[in-house]
Amino acid sequence: MAPSLTDARELKAFVVDEGHGVKGLSELKIKTLPDLFIQPLEKRLDLSKVVPQESIPVIDMSNSEDPEVEERICDAAENWGFFQIVNHGVPVSVLEDVKEATHQFFALRADEKKKYLFKNSPTKNVRLVTSFIPEVDKVLEWKDYLSCFYVSDEEAMAFWPSICRDQVLEYMNKSESLIKRLLEVLMKRLGIPELNETNEPILMGSRRINLNYYPVCPNPELTVGVGGHSDVSTLTVLLQDETGGLYVRKLNSENWVHVPPIKGSLTINIGDALQIMSNGQYKSIEHHVVANGHENRISVPIFVNPRPSDLIGPLQEVVKTGEKGLYKQVLYSDYVKHFYRKSHNGKDTIDFAKV
Ligand SMILES: COc1cc(/C=C/C(=O)SCCNC(=O)CCNC(=O)[C@H](O)C(C)(C)COP(=O)(O)OP(=O)(O)OC[C@H]2O[C@@H](n3cnc4c(N)ncnc43)[C@H](O)[C@@H]2OP(=O)(O)O)ccc1O
Ligand SMILES: O=C(O)CCC(=O)C(=O)O
Ligand SMILES: [Fe+2]
């Protein structure tokens, strides 16, 4: 039954607890955005601060051994914290398949999807959520997402939704050598010549993959798809569809730039863990997704992370040159739990690790 749009408790139960999500609400063809989703002005994207003539770097990875390509990657990580890559080696068919699988998962009936809500899921590594943290968010974001923390293929086979599991695993597998190459290049500039059994697990020892669904929204200008935040990963590999709507803050500025969809491309962004490990040389940058009044949008980020049990802090090779450490050593799972205890608020998570 359709919920009351004015009774916040009933509406939240429909959206958050019954598996309908904001997708279910969108499909009711409501004409006006309920108050539950109306964000305060300071949380919405200020379009007057968007610089249309600028864009994040686009890097061709077909010859990733070329020192010029390496330089462009490191420069982008230092000056933008965000870049797009083309000819990256992940087959376009794998990207198309995971996008299609994302649509298929969200097309399931609410009573099927409901099985993956945290309260029903047999594992805490798979959860279907609306907004970011509906228990904490005072105003909800216009997004549903399925989040899967990768433990092993066996665990994925047992617990991930079968309708998208194989495509998601294939995307993760096929992006592994790209991730290694990017980290190798980024480490080289920090004076670390190679990935080895000591540094590799700290840089990429765990992965989380989210399937994000942003349905058509009435009054998109009053809400957000995702509020301004930085990722807590080492780096994130993001696949977006052709809709657009991701905005990135320019370094040390009030201005935003759009990340235009480029067919076959992937977007890479530096997360807080790498900003901390590089002692601020590489930047995790605030980003924001707007809601859309005409199209359903999907995106699929792979968050590449340290292991939960790792202590992270500025890497020895970076601070041994006498540089002052800007961050203390923190247990990565404590850092992530801190992120998951509060609503999105720009770059504030990293304060947790500041000296
Ligand atoms: C979703 O919308 C987003 C997401 C993002 C994400 C950006 C990223 O960069 S995600 C990468 C995060 N890194 C990892 O997940 C890898 C490391 N993992 C860990 O350290 C742990 O697995 C853990 C996440 C800390 C979970 O620890 P564990 O003890 O095994 O599990 P729990 O006891 O269930 O959780 C502890 C704590 O965290 C909360 N939580 C965990 N996962 C989620 C989740 N997917 N969504 C919401 N909350 C989660 C959980 O509720 C617990 O909280 P307590 O307060 O009860 O301790 C960027 C932007 C977005 O909009
Ligand atoms: O949907 C997007 O383009 C970005 C999503 C995002 O920032 C995230 O899931 O962390
Ligand atoms: Fe993000």
Side-chain angles (χ1 to χ4, degrees):
M1 209 178 68
S4 155
L5 300 182
T6 48
D7 180 333
R9 202 188 301 192
E10 190 178 320
L11 185 57
K12 199 165 175 181
F14 175 86
V15 169
V16 171
D17 304 324
E18 293 167 18
H20 298 283
V22 276
K23 179 170 184 285
L25 191 57
S26 169
E27 286 167 354
L28 294 175
K29 305 272 182 234
I30 54 171
K31 295 277 179 295
T32 313
L33 187 73
D35 288 353
L36 185 58
F37 298 92
I38 299 182
Q39 295 284 343
L41 267 180
E42 68 276 12
K43 297 276 177 190
R44 303 183 207 160
L45 183 73
D46 179 351
L47 286 172
S48 73
K49 302 244 165 68
V50 174
V51 212
Q53 63 279 16
E54 284 198 70
S55 200
I56 60 171
V58 178
I59 303 176
D60 187 336
M61 296 272 294
S62 34
N63 189 359
S64 79
E65 307 288 327
D66 181 342
E68 239 178 74
V69 175
E70 295 183 342
E71 194 170 309
R72 291 200 68 206
I73 291 171
C74 296
D75 287 351
E78 287 184 6
N79 301 322
W80 286 92
F82 253 90
F83 50 101
Q84 298 209 66
I85 53 175
V86 293
N87 299 318
H88 41 63
V90 184
V92 173
S93 60
V94 171
L95 304 182
E96 291 303 314
D97 287 353
V98 79
K99 282 194 277 183
E100 175 56 26
T102 300
H103 280 289
Q104 295 209 349
F105 173 76
F106 284 100
L108 290 173
R109 288 202 327 261
D111 57 346
E112 266 300 306
K113 282 189 283 195
K114 205 174 158 181
K115 294 181 192 159
Y116 301 101
L117 296 174
F118 185 56
K119 61 178 181 180
N120 302 330
S121 176
T123 165
K124 57 187 177 183
N125 296 327
V126 177
R127 41 178 113 197
L128 174 64
V129 187
T130 288
S131 188
F132 174 47
I133 320 164
E135 302 78 17
V136 174
D137 297 333
K138 289 211 171 65
V139 178
L140 299 190
E141 299 184 346
W142 195 260
K143 177 184 86 160
D144 300 322
Y145 69 97
L146 178 77
S147 187
C148 300
F149 184 64
Y150 178 80
V151 174
S152 66
D153 281 2
E154 292 67 37
E155 216 250 1
M157 292 313 276
F159 296 119
W160 293 15
S162 57
I163 199 155
C164 56
R165 177 188 64 206
D166 298 349
Q167 296 83 345
V168 170
L169 286 171
E170 186 68 356
Y171 173 38
M172 280 181 60
N173 288 336
K174 286 286 186 314
S175 56
E176 190 161 336
S177 53
L178 164 69
I179 291 165
K180 278 196 182 146
R181 181 69 196 129
L182 288 166
L183 287 170
E184 227 167 55
V185 170
L186 292 166
M187 287 305 110
K188 215 159 109 182
R189 184 171 283 187
L190 299 181
I192 298 164
E194 56 174 17
L195 295 193
N196 55 36
E197 63 276 13
T198 312
N199 60 26
E200 191 177 301
I202 299 175
L203 292 164
M204 53 177 292
S206 81
R207 277 166 298 169
R208 175 180 294 280
I209 186 152
N210 285 5
L211 309 186
N212 294 329
Y213 194 94
Y214 308 89
V216 170
C217 179
N219 313 115
E221 67 290 350
L222 300 181
T223 192
V224 298
V226 179
H229 69 281
S230 60
D231 293 347
V232 293
S233 52
T234 306
L235 58 79
T236 304
V237 177
L238 176 78
L239 171 64
Q240 64 164 331
D241 70 11
E242 65 291 345
T243 312
L246 169 63
Y247 290 82
V248 169
R249 193 189 275 284
K250 275 192 76 177
L251 188 61
N252 303 327
S253 150
E254 293 283 285
N255 292 329
W256 297 86
V257 298
H258 185 233
V259 180
I262 300 176
K263 210 172 164 37
S265 75
L266 289 166
T267 300
I268 307 297
N269 63 284
I270 305 300
D272 292 351
L274 189 51
Q275 173 162 330
I276 292 168
M277 287 191 258
S278 68
N279 204 28
Q281 185 165 338
Y282 298 133
K283 313 293 191 309
S284 76
I285 291 288
E286 184 179 349
H287 51 288
H288 184 120
V289 177
V290 295
N292 187 305
H294 306 284
E295 318 263 5
N296 299 313
R297 175 177 187 268
I298 58 155
S299 70
V300 189
I302 300 175
F303 301 106
V304 180
N305 314 300
R307 293 164 300 192
S309 57
D310 283 323
L311 269 180
I312 61 163
L315 295 167
Q316 251 182 17
E317 292 82 350
V318 182
V319 283
K320 82 169 177 222
T321 49
E323 196 175 309
K324 186 171 167 285
L326 301 175
Y327 306 99
K328 54 192 178 204
Q329 299 278 329
V330 292
L331 186 67
Y332 185 60
S333 63
D334 285 347
Y335 191 84
V336 179
K337 285 182 198 178
H338 175 70
F339 172 68
Y340 281 125
R341 278 192 190 125
K342 58 188 181 43
S343 298
H344 290 319
N345 189 23
K347 279 235 7 161
D348 72 344
T349 317
I350 208 154
D351 294 344
F352 185 76
K354 281 189 181 147
V355 170

